[in-house]
Amino acid sequence: MIIYIETQAKSYPLAQKILSKFADAYIIEIDHYKNIFDKTIWVKSLANAIILAKQQNIPIFSTPANYGYQWKSFFFKSILNCIFDCKYCYLKWAFKTTFPTIFVNYEDIQNAIAEKINSLRKSGYNDTIYFYASNYSDIQWLDDMINFNQSFIPFFEKFPNVLMESRTKSANIKSLLQCNTETSKHFQNTEISFSLNPQLIIDSFEHKTSSLEQRIDAINTLISNWWKVWIRFLPLLPVENHLQIYSDFISYIRKKIDFDKINSIFIWSIIYTKSDYNNLVKRWNFIFESKFHEHSDWFMRIEGSITNDFKLLFTSAFPNKQILFDII
Ligand code: SF4
Protein backbone atom coordinates (compact mmCIF):
# COMPACT_ATOMS: atom_id res chain seq x y z
CA MET A 1 0.00 0.00 0.00
CA ILE A 2 1.29 3.44 -0.94
CA ILE A 3 0.04 6.66 0.61
CA TYR A 4 0.79 9.83 -1.34
CA ILE A 5 0.42 12.78 0.96
CA GLU A 6 0.63 16.48 0.19
CA THR A 7 3.04 18.30 2.47
CA GLN A 8 0.29 20.79 3.35
CA ALA A 9 -2.09 17.94 4.31
CA LYS A 10 0.27 16.29 6.78
CA SER A 11 -0.74 18.17 9.89
CA TYR A 12 -4.48 17.56 9.62
CA PRO A 13 -5.87 15.19 12.29
CA LEU A 14 -7.65 13.10 9.65
CA ALA A 15 -4.41 12.64 7.71
CA GLN A 16 -2.65 11.59 10.91
CA LYS A 17 -5.44 9.17 11.76
CA ILE A 18 -5.31 7.53 8.33
CA LEU A 19 -1.50 7.30 8.47
CA SER A 20 -1.68 5.62 11.86
CA LYS A 21 -4.17 3.07 10.51
CA PHE A 22 -1.69 2.04 7.84
CA ALA A 23 1.49 1.89 9.83
CA ASP A 24 3.14 -0.39 7.22
CA ALA A 25 2.27 1.81 4.24
CA TYR A 26 4.96 3.29 2.05
CA ILE A 27 4.56 7.07 2.41
CA ILE A 28 5.47 9.42 -0.42
CA GLU A 29 5.30 13.14 0.23
CA ILE A 30 4.15 15.25 -2.73
CA ASP A 31 3.68 18.96 -3.46
CA HIS A 32 0.24 18.72 -5.00
CA TYR A 33 -2.17 15.80 -5.41
CA LYS A 34 -2.64 16.61 -9.09
CA ASN A 35 0.96 15.59 -9.72
CA ILE A 36 -0.25 12.02 -9.14
CA PHE A 37 -3.96 12.33 -9.73
CA ASP A 38 -3.61 13.78 -13.20
CA LYS A 39 -1.14 11.15 -14.41
CA THR A 40 -2.22 7.98 -16.11
CA ILE A 41 -1.13 5.28 -13.66
CA TRP A 42 -2.70 1.87 -13.89
CA VAL A 43 -2.65 -0.51 -10.96
CA LYS A 44 -4.33 -3.86 -10.59
CA SER A 45 -6.01 -3.13 -7.31
CA LEU A 46 -7.61 0.19 -6.46
CA ALA A 47 -6.61 -0.38 -2.85
CA ASN A 48 -2.93 -0.19 -3.77
CA ALA A 49 -2.64 3.51 -3.18
CA ILE A 50 -4.50 6.44 -1.73
CA ILE A 51 -3.82 10.15 -1.92
CA LEU A 52 -4.30 12.53 1.01
CA ALA A 53 -4.68 16.15 0.01
CA LYS A 54 -5.92 19.56 1.07
CA GLN A 55 -8.78 20.89 -1.03
CA GLN A 56 -8.23 24.51 -2.05
CA ASN A 57 -10.63 27.04 -3.62
CA ILE A 58 -13.40 24.70 -2.52
CA PRO A 59 -16.10 24.56 -5.18
CA ILE A 60 -19.76 24.19 -4.16
CA PHE A 61 -21.39 23.55 -7.53
CA SER A 62 -25.06 24.12 -8.32
CA THR A 63 -26.79 21.02 -9.63
CA PRO A 64 -28.01 21.08 -13.24
CA ALA A 65 -31.66 21.93 -13.97
CA ASN A 66 -34.13 19.11 -13.15
CA TYR A 67 -31.62 17.28 -10.96
CA GLY A 68 -33.56 15.79 -8.03
CA TYR A 69 -35.59 18.13 -5.86
CA GLN A 70 -36.30 21.54 -7.31
CA TRP A 71 -34.85 23.37 -4.32
CA LYS A 72 -31.53 25.15 -4.39
CA SER A 73 -29.17 22.18 -4.58
CA PHE A 74 -25.42 21.76 -4.67
CA PHE A 75 -22.65 19.20 -5.00
CA PHE A 76 -19.59 19.21 -2.79
CA LYS A 77 -16.64 16.88 -2.73
CA SER A 78 -14.63 15.36 0.09
CA ILE A 79 -13.24 12.39 -1.83
CA LEU A 80 -12.63 11.52 -5.49
CA ASN A 81 -12.79 8.06 -7.07
CA CYS A 82 -14.66 4.98 -6.06
CA ILE A 83 -13.58 1.43 -5.33
CA PHE A 84 -16.69 0.02 -6.94
CA ASP A 85 -16.64 -0.68 -10.63
CA CYS A 86 -19.98 0.08 -12.22
CA LYS A 87 -19.65 -0.31 -15.95
CA TYR A 88 -21.81 2.68 -16.73
CA CYS A 89 -20.06 5.07 -14.30
CA TYR A 90 -18.58 8.22 -15.83
CA LEU A 91 -15.99 8.40 -13.02
CA LYS A 92 -14.12 5.57 -14.70
CA TRP A 93 -12.97 7.89 -17.42
CA ALA A 94 -13.43 11.30 -15.81
CA PHE A 95 -10.19 10.96 -13.82
CA LYS A 96 -6.83 9.71 -14.99
CA THR A 97 -6.04 7.66 -11.89
CA THR A 98 -8.22 5.35 -9.90
CA PHE A 99 -6.61 6.12 -6.53
CA PRO A 100 -9.08 7.25 -3.90
CA THR A 101 -8.15 10.86 -3.13
CA ILE A 102 -9.26 12.05 0.28
CA PHE A 103 -9.46 15.75 1.10
CA VAL A 104 -8.55 15.89 4.76
CA ASN A 105 -9.42 19.53 5.51
CA TYR A 106 -13.06 18.86 6.37
CA GLU A 107 -13.38 22.06 8.35
CA ASP A 108 -12.55 24.19 5.28
CA ILE A 109 -15.10 22.25 3.22
CA GLN A 110 -17.70 22.81 5.92
CA ASN A 111 -16.87 26.53 6.04
CA ALA A 112 -17.47 26.76 2.28
CA ILE A 113 -20.84 24.99 2.71
CA ALA A 114 -21.79 27.27 5.63
CA GLU A 115 -20.91 30.35 3.54
CA LYS A 116 -23.15 29.12 0.74
CA ILE A 117 -26.05 28.56 3.17
CA ASN A 118 -25.56 31.92 4.86
CA SER A 119 -25.40 33.83 1.60
CA LEU A 120 -28.61 32.19 0.35
CA ARG A 121 -30.38 32.99 3.61
CA LYS A 122 -29.13 36.58 3.48
CA SER A 123 -30.49 36.88 -0.06
CA GLY A 124 -33.96 35.99 1.28
CA TYR A 125 -34.12 32.33 0.20
CA ASN A 126 -35.90 30.47 3.01
CA ASP A 127 -36.82 27.20 1.34
CA THR A 128 -34.86 23.93 1.69
CA ILE A 129 -31.24 23.84 0.59
CA TYR A 130 -29.95 20.46 -0.55
CA PHE A 131 -26.39 19.16 -0.66
CA TYR A 132 -25.25 16.05 -2.51
CA ALA A 133 -22.13 14.51 -0.99
CA SER A 134 -21.56 11.43 -3.11
CA ASN A 135 -21.25 12.38 -6.73
CA TYR A 136 -17.52 11.77 -6.88
CA SER A 137 -17.33 8.56 -4.85
CA ASP A 138 -19.35 6.14 -2.76
CA ILE A 139 -18.47 7.48 0.68
CA GLN A 140 -20.06 4.79 2.83
CA TRP A 141 -17.85 1.96 1.62
CA LEU A 142 -14.81 3.43 3.33
CA ASP A 143 -16.23 5.59 6.05
CA ASP A 144 -14.52 3.48 8.71
CA MET A 145 -11.35 5.11 7.43
CA ILE A 146 -12.39 8.64 6.44
CA ASN A 147 -14.86 9.54 9.20
CA PHE A 148 -17.04 11.56 6.87
CA ASN A 149 -20.20 10.58 8.74
CA GLN A 150 -18.89 11.53 12.17
CA SER A 151 -17.87 14.94 10.93
CA PHE A 152 -20.44 16.00 8.31
CA ILE A 153 -23.66 14.53 9.71
CA PRO A 154 -23.51 16.52 13.01
CA PHE A 155 -22.31 19.56 11.02
CA PHE A 156 -25.47 19.61 8.87
CA GLU A 157 -27.68 19.37 11.98
CA LYS A 158 -26.76 22.98 12.79
CA PHE A 159 -28.74 24.40 9.87
CA PRO A 160 -32.54 24.58 9.80
CA ASN A 161 -34.13 23.49 6.54
CA VAL A 162 -30.94 22.09 5.04
CA LEU A 163 -30.51 18.50 3.91
CA MET A 164 -27.51 16.44 2.88
CA GLU A 165 -27.69 13.24 0.88
CA SER A 166 -25.11 10.48 0.93
CA ARG A 167 -25.85 7.97 -1.81
CA THR A 168 -24.50 4.45 -1.71
CA LYS A 169 -24.42 0.96 -3.14
CA SER A 170 -22.62 -0.29 -0.05
CA ALA A 171 -24.11 -2.17 2.87
CA ASN A 172 -21.38 -0.88 5.15
CA ILE A 173 -23.44 1.03 7.71
CA LYS A 174 -21.16 0.45 10.69
CA SER A 175 -20.05 4.03 10.91
CA LEU A 176 -23.63 5.35 10.59
CA LEU A 177 -24.73 3.20 13.50
CA GLN A 178 -21.72 4.38 15.42
CA CYS A 179 -22.91 7.99 14.92
CA ASN A 180 -26.12 7.03 16.74
CA THR A 181 -24.21 5.42 19.57
CA GLU A 182 -21.73 8.25 19.98
CA THR A 183 -24.26 11.05 20.00
CA SER A 184 -27.52 9.27 21.03
CA LYS A 185 -29.16 11.42 18.36
CA HIS A 186 -31.56 10.87 15.52
CA PHE A 187 -30.29 12.95 12.68
CA GLN A 188 -32.85 15.01 10.82
CA ASN A 189 -30.74 16.67 8.16
CA THR A 190 -29.10 13.67 6.52
CA GLU A 191 -30.69 11.22 4.15
CA ILE A 192 -28.92 8.00 3.31
CA SER A 193 -29.98 7.05 -0.15
CA PHE A 194 -29.55 3.55 -1.51
CA SER A 195 -29.35 2.86 -5.21
CA LEU A 196 -31.22 -0.34 -5.93
CA ASN A 197 -31.33 -2.48 -9.03
CA PRO A 198 -32.32 -6.11 -9.69
CA GLN A 199 -29.59 -8.60 -8.68
CA LEU A 200 -29.22 -9.61 -12.32
CA ILE A 201 -28.20 -6.04 -13.14
CA ILE A 202 -25.96 -5.76 -10.08
CA ASP A 203 -24.15 -8.93 -11.22
CA SER A 204 -23.69 -7.69 -14.75
CA PHE A 205 -23.00 -3.99 -14.29
CA GLU A 206 -22.23 -3.07 -10.67
CA HIS A 207 -19.10 -5.01 -9.90
CA LYS A 208 -17.82 -5.10 -6.31
CA THR A 209 -20.92 -3.38 -4.91
CA SER A 210 -23.03 -4.96 -2.17
CA SER A 211 -25.67 -7.45 -3.26
CA LEU A 212 -29.34 -6.47 -3.36
CA GLU A 213 -29.96 -8.60 -0.29
CA GLN A 214 -27.20 -6.87 1.67
CA ARG A 215 -28.49 -3.44 0.68
CA ILE A 216 -32.02 -4.39 1.77
CA ASP A 217 -30.70 -5.55 5.15
CA ALA A 218 -28.79 -2.29 5.56
CA ILE A 219 -31.91 -0.25 4.68
CA ASN A 220 -34.02 -2.12 7.22
CA THR A 221 -31.40 -1.75 9.94
CA LEU A 222 -31.12 1.99 9.34
CA ILE A 223 -34.87 2.48 9.33
CA SER A 224 -35.15 0.67 12.64
CA ASN A 225 -32.45 2.97 13.98
CA TRP A 226 -34.40 6.08 12.94
CA TRP A 227 -32.38 7.09 9.93
CA LYS A 228 -34.02 8.85 7.03
CA VAL A 229 -33.63 6.50 4.10
CA TRP A 230 -34.26 7.28 0.46
CA ILE A 231 -34.49 4.74 -2.26
CA ARG A 232 -33.19 5.59 -5.66
CA PHE A 233 -33.98 3.22 -8.45
CA LEU A 234 -30.92 4.23 -10.30
CA PRO A 235 -29.87 3.85 -12.99
CA LEU A 236 -32.74 2.10 -14.68
CA LEU A 237 -31.11 0.27 -17.55
CA PRO A 238 -32.73 -0.63 -20.86
CA VAL A 239 -31.85 -4.30 -20.58
CA GLU A 240 -33.55 -6.93 -22.71
CA ASN A 241 -36.94 -7.76 -21.25
CA HIS A 242 -36.72 -4.69 -18.98
CA LEU A 243 -40.42 -4.60 -18.07
CA GLN A 244 -40.51 -8.15 -16.76
CA ILE A 245 -37.19 -7.86 -14.94
CA TYR A 246 -38.10 -4.60 -13.20
CA SER A 247 -41.63 -5.64 -12.34
CA ASP A 248 -40.36 -8.88 -10.71
CA PHE A 249 -37.82 -6.77 -8.85
CA ILE A 250 -40.46 -4.33 -7.56
CA SER A 251 -42.69 -7.17 -6.35
CA TYR A 252 -39.71 -8.65 -4.53
CA ILE A 253 -38.55 -5.52 -2.74
CA ARG A 254 -42.06 -4.51 -1.73
CA LYS A 255 -42.16 -7.70 0.31
CA LYS A 256 -38.80 -6.96 1.91
CA ILE A 257 -38.98 -3.23 2.69
CA ASP A 258 -41.70 -1.24 4.45
CA PHE A 259 -42.06 1.59 1.94
CA ASP A 260 -44.22 3.62 4.36
CA LYS A 261 -41.00 4.20 6.26
CA ILE A 262 -38.99 5.26 3.23
CA ASN A 263 -38.48 8.98 3.09
CA SER A 264 -38.70 9.38 -0.67
CA ILE A 265 -38.32 7.56 -3.95
CA PHE A 266 -36.46 8.69 -7.03
CA ILE A 267 -36.33 6.95 -10.33
CA TRP A 268 -33.53 7.84 -12.65
CA SER A 269 -32.53 6.54 -16.00
CA ILE A 270 -29.08 7.13 -17.25
CA ILE A 271 -27.92 10.22 -19.07
CA TYR A 272 -24.57 11.26 -20.45
CA THR A 273 -23.11 14.32 -22.04
CA LYS A 274 -22.14 13.63 -25.63
CA SER A 275 -18.46 13.48 -24.77
CA ASP A 276 -18.96 11.13 -21.79
CA TYR A 277 -21.11 8.95 -24.00
CA ASN A 278 -18.44 8.80 -26.70
CA ASN A 279 -15.87 7.86 -24.08
CA LEU A 280 -18.11 5.14 -22.76
CA VAL A 281 -18.70 3.65 -26.18
CA LYS A 282 -14.93 3.71 -26.82
CA ARG A 283 -14.00 2.01 -23.54
CA TRP A 284 -16.76 -0.48 -23.06
CA ASN A 285 -18.47 -2.74 -25.55
CA PHE A 286 -21.57 -0.65 -24.90
CA ILE A 287 -24.48 -2.98 -25.34
CA PHE A 288 -27.17 -0.30 -25.10
CA GLU A 289 -26.02 1.77 -28.06
CA SER A 290 -29.17 1.21 -30.09
CA LYS A 291 -31.34 2.33 -27.13
CA PHE A 292 -29.72 5.77 -26.71
CA HIS A 293 -30.26 8.92 -28.68
CA GLU A 294 -29.38 12.56 -28.45
CA HIS A 295 -32.19 14.49 -26.80
CA SER A 296 -33.17 18.09 -27.55
CA ASP A 297 -31.21 19.19 -24.45
CA TRP A 298 -28.07 17.61 -26.04
CA PHE A 299 -27.83 14.90 -23.42
CA MET A 300 -27.72 11.27 -24.49
CA ARG A 301 -30.76 9.54 -23.00
CA ILE A 302 -32.52 6.24 -23.39
CA GLU A 303 -35.39 6.23 -25.82
CA GLY A 304 -38.77 7.64 -24.77
CA SER A 305 -40.81 4.44 -25.04
CA ILE A 306 -38.55 2.74 -22.47
CA THR A 307 -38.59 5.69 -20.07
CA ASN A 308 -42.38 5.73 -20.32
CA ASP A 309 -42.44 2.03 -19.43
CA PHE A 310 -40.37 2.78 -16.34
CA LYS A 311 -42.54 5.73 -15.29
CA LEU A 312 -45.74 3.74 -15.57
CA LEU A 313 -44.29 0.74 -13.82
CA PHE A 314 -43.05 2.67 -10.79
CA THR A 315 -46.00 5.04 -10.43
CA SER A 316 -48.47 2.16 -10.47
CA ALA A 317 -46.34 0.11 -8.04
CA PHE A 318 -46.11 2.97 -5.51
CA PRO A 319 -49.40 4.88 -5.94
CA ASN A 320 -49.21 6.56 -2.53
CA LYS A 321 -45.64 7.76 -2.72
CA GLN A 322 -44.26 10.88 -4.18
CA ILE A 323 -41.90 9.71 -6.90
CA LEU A 324 -39.36 12.07 -8.35
CA PHE A 325 -38.18 11.46 -11.89
CA ASP A 326 -35.24 12.62 -13.85
CA ILE A 327 -36.51 10.87 -16.95
CA ILE A 328 -38.13 12.87 -19.70
S1 SF4 B 1 -20.87 3.14 -6.86
FE1 SF4 B 1 -21.41 5.06 -7.88
S2 SF4 B 1 -19.50 6.23 -7.93
FE2 SF4 B 1 -18.96 4.09 -7.50
S3 SF4 B 1 -18.49 3.18 -9.51
FE3 SF4 B 1 -20.65 2.78 -9.06
S4 SF4 B 1 -21.79 4.49 -10.01
FE4 SF4 B 1 -19.63 5.09 -9.87
Side-chain angles (χ1 to χ4, degrees):
M1 160 86 155
I2 299 171
I3 299 181
Y4 296 97
I5 182 164
E6 281 183 353
T7 308
Q8 57 177 349
K10 267 172 37 186
S11 59
Y12 284 86
L14 179 59
Q16 290 303 318
K17 182 179 162 266
I18 294 171
L19 289 176
S20 69
K21 270 202 173 204
F22 298 99
D24 295 336
Y26 187 61
I27 315 290
I28 302 177
E29 204 168 313
I30 51 176
D31 287 336
H32 198 282
Y33 79 94
K34 289 196 170 178
N35 297 340
I36 302 297
F37 190 77
D38 282 348
K39 300 279 180 308
T40 306
I41 304 169
W42 290 102
V43 285
K44 274 195 174 158
S45 159
L46 299 188
N48 272 357
I50 57 173
I51 302 173
L52 304 180
K54 176 180 176 185
Q55 192 174 172
Q56 289 173 313
N57 307 318
I58 297 164
I60 308 291
F61 297 118
S62 291
T63 56
N66 300 321
Y67 188 95
Y69 288 118
Q70 295 309 297
W71 300 313
K72 298 267 183 207
S73 304
F74 303 91
F75 301 123
F76 68 97
K77 48 189 168 187
S78 58
I79 174 167
L80 305 173
N81 274 325
C82 180
I83 198 156
F84 296 147
D85 192 13
C86 302
K87 281 195 167 181
Y88 48 74
C89 181
Y90 78 98
L91 287 181
K92 300 297 153 197
W93 60 85
F95 305 136
K96 286 191 175 157
T97 64
T98 51
F99 302 150
T101 299
I102 300 150
F103 295 113
V104 293
N105 51 328
Y106 282 175
E107 217 179 296
D108 296 336
I109 300 170
Q110 289 167 1
N111 287 339
I113 293 168
E115 256 175 50
K116 177 62 75 182
I117 296 169
N118 293 335
S119 79
L120 280 170
R121 295 299 184 225
K122 270 190 203 146
S123 75
Y125 179 79
N126 293 318
D127 213 341
T128 306
I129 307 173
Y130 210 88
F131 289 90
Y132 292 90
S134 308
N135 279 60
Y136 305 89
S137 185
D138 190 310
I139 290 170
Q140 298 304 325
W141 66 268
L142 86 173
D143 202 57
D144 306 338
M145 172 167 82
I146 62 173
N147 275 65
F148 173 92
N149 292 334
Q150 272 79 3
S151 178
F152 280 85
I153 291 175
F155 164 76
F156 275 100
E157 290 298 297
K158 296 188 218 161
F159 303 97
N161 217 7
V162 169
L163 285 168
M164 187 259 297
E165 180 226 41
S166 174
R167 187 169 67 235
T168 188
K169 294 188 177 86
S170 165
N172 179 14
I173 53 169
K174 236 174 28 198
S175 94
L176 289 168
L177 297 177
Q178 216 174 325
C179 284
N180 286 128
T181 319
E182 280 169 9
T183 60
S184 325
K185 271 187 94 167
H186 300 144
F187 298 101
Q188 295 307 311
N189 291 2
T190 294
E191 300 190 301
I192 307 300
S193 91
F194 283 84
S195 304
L196 295 187
N197 248 322
Q199 187 60 47
L200 184 90
I201 289 181
I202 294 173
D203 290 341
S204 305
F205 302 104
E206 298 181 352
H207 298 163
K208 304 184 190 167
T209 62
S210 298
S211 68
L212 176 62
E213 223 41 61
Q214 290 167 325
R215 293 184 215 177
I216 290 172
D217 284 349
I219 288 169
N220 288 332
T221 307
L222 288 181
I223 291 172
S224 60
N225 282 278
W226 304 100
W227 284 89
K228 286 185 173 176
V229 175
W230 274 19
I231 292 191
R232 287 193 171 210
F233 296 104
L234 166 156
L236 301 171
L237 292 178
V239 286
E240 189 90 9
N241 211 8
H242 61 277
L243 264 182
Q244 189 61 50
I245 289 170
Y246 277 96
S247 78
D248 292 348
F249 163 64
I250 290 172
S251 310
Y252 180 72
I253 54 166
R254 285 181 61 185
K255 286 187 214 132
K256 303 286 248 178
I257 297 169
D258 179 355
F259 276 84
D260 289 340
K261 295 190 175 145
I262 294 299
N263 219 39
S264 64
I265 297 179
F266 267 57
I267 68 169
W268 291 53
S269 62
I270 189 162
I271 61 169
Y272 296 107
T273 61
K274 195 75 194 290
S275 85
D276 279 346
Y277 180 81
N278 290 338
N279 265 318
L280 178 82
V281 174
K282 239 189 277 160
R283 282 167 188 248
W284 173 32
N285 178 18
F286 189 52
I287 56 169
F288 302 128
E289 218 173 332
S290 64
K291 311 263 173 68
F292 270 75
H293 64 94
E294 192 172 347
H295 200 266
S296 52
D297 60 2
W298 294 299
F299 281 100
M300 299 299 292
R301 296 173 182 270
I302 56 174
E303 64 192 46
S305 62
I306 301 177
T307 54
N308 281 339
D309 286 348
F310 283 136
K311 269 188 188 173
L312 275 174
L313 190 64
F314 280 88
T315 42
S316 53
F318 300 102
N320 303 321
K321 288 240 67 98
Q322 185 201 8
I323 301 185
L324 295 162
F325 304 94
D326 87 317
I327 53 185
I328 53 177

